[in-house]
Amino acid sequence: MRRIPTAVLISGRGSNMAALLEAAADPSFPADIRLVLSNRPGASGLERAAGFGVATQVIDHRSFSDRAGFDAALDQALTTAGIQLVALAGFMRLLTPDFTRRWTGRMINIHPSLLPAFKGVHVHQQALAAGVRLSGCTVHFVSPEMDSGAIIGQAAVPVHPDDNADRLAARILAMEHLLYPAALALVANGQARLIDGRTAFAAGAWRAVTLTADLDG
Ligand code: GRF
């Protein structure tokens, strides 16, 4: 089986990155994670990645005067490493439309809400303020507009009446760690593809990325 050379981009603790690396430790996983790249030198996920024996690289966005310069350096690093698929995992930089277009259909992201609800930041506070009974997480193809690309998979979790943002975040994060490896696998093995702005699935493949948590979990 051909494994797709993949990079994970982080800015922080990297728990989703770790979930992806754990999945990719299985030689039958279709993505070969060869590089973890951070825009922040202090990201704790870098040490975690090194613990998995994966190459790490820092491209500090503060060394660039504009987004285009940073994105060009990022693109070069990915190309040099032979990367064909990119997974954003808590990567807190907006990417330029040019970069995003270059990686169309080959770059995915995880967001901790059921998109299209609650884009951007302070997502769990947004969900609690709206009074929704279900929230969750979404893996999507990255498009130039933030948190708006074609949805690949979602996991729903209940919002409990006594939740605060931290409790809700933790319940969703546990599902992120299941959903993201499943979604990356489908993209890497071609069972989920971006076609005309929508995700097209091989027969039955959507089931692997349509998850629901227990009500009392
Ligand atoms: C996750 O909640 C992810 O959905 C969001 O940022 C957070 C990153 O957490 N995009 P981690 O760095 O993967 O632990």
Side-chain angles (χ1 to χ4, degrees):
M1 182 194 56
R2 187 172 157 267
R3 302 179 81 205
I4 307 296
T6 301
V8 181
L9 271 51
I10 62 168
S11 300
R13 68 187 164 182
S15 71
N16 277 289
M17 170 210 75
L20 296 178
L21 286 170
E22 272 161 31
D26 179 341
S28 69
F29 192 78
D32 173 18
I33 301 175
R34 292 190 182 176
L35 178 65
V36 168
L37 210 150
S38 172
N39 66 308
R40 292 207 183 118
S44 58
L46 286 167
E47 274 179 35
R48 240 172 142 170
F52 281 89
V54 175
T56 60
Q57 189 171 344
V58 174
I59 302 180
D60 189 341
H61 63 274
R62 292 168 306 185
S63 333
F64 298 86
S65 55
D66 57 14
R67 285 188 192 281
F70 172 77
D71 284 7
L74 191 57
D75 190 67
Q76 179 153 33
L78 296 171
T79 306
T80 303
I83 298 302
Q84 294 175 17
L85 186 54
V86 175
L88 308 182
F91 183 69
M92 302 302 284
R93 290 294 295 169
L94 288 176
L95 296 162
T96 54
D98 270 358
F99 180 91
T100 307
R101 273 186 219 108
R102 234 178 102 65
W103 288 88
T104 297
R106 302 185 297 147
M107 179 160 61
I108 64 177
N109 181 46
I110 188 158
H111 180 78
S113 76
L114 293 176
L115 290 171
F118 315 133
K119 298 177 180 179
V121 293
H122 307 304
V123 170
H124 308 301
Q125 286 90 337
Q126 290 187 56
L128 292 172
V132 293
R133 290 267 54 77
L134 289 168
S135 192
C137 50
T138 303
V139 176
H140 61 93
F141 285 106
V142 177
S143 67
E145 204 188 328
M146 188 184 61
D147 300 331
S148 298
I151 290 170
I152 300 163
Q154 293 187 306
V157 312
V159 180
H160 293 182
D162 58 350
D163 269 350
N164 58 31
D166 286 346
R167 274 199 291 269
L168 180 57
R171 194 175 307 118
I172 292 174
L173 192 65
M175 295 304 282
E176 293 184 44
H177 298 161
L178 299 178
L179 180 67
Y180 210 3
L184 176 60
L186 287 192
V187 175
N189 68 17
Q191 293 196 60
R193 292 172 199 267
L194 182 67
I195 296 178
D196 294 335
R198 292 184 65 89
T199 304
F201 291 99
W206 62 276
R207 291 177 182 277
V209 285
T210 305
L211 310 180
T212 52
D214 207 69
L215 273 193
D216 299 311

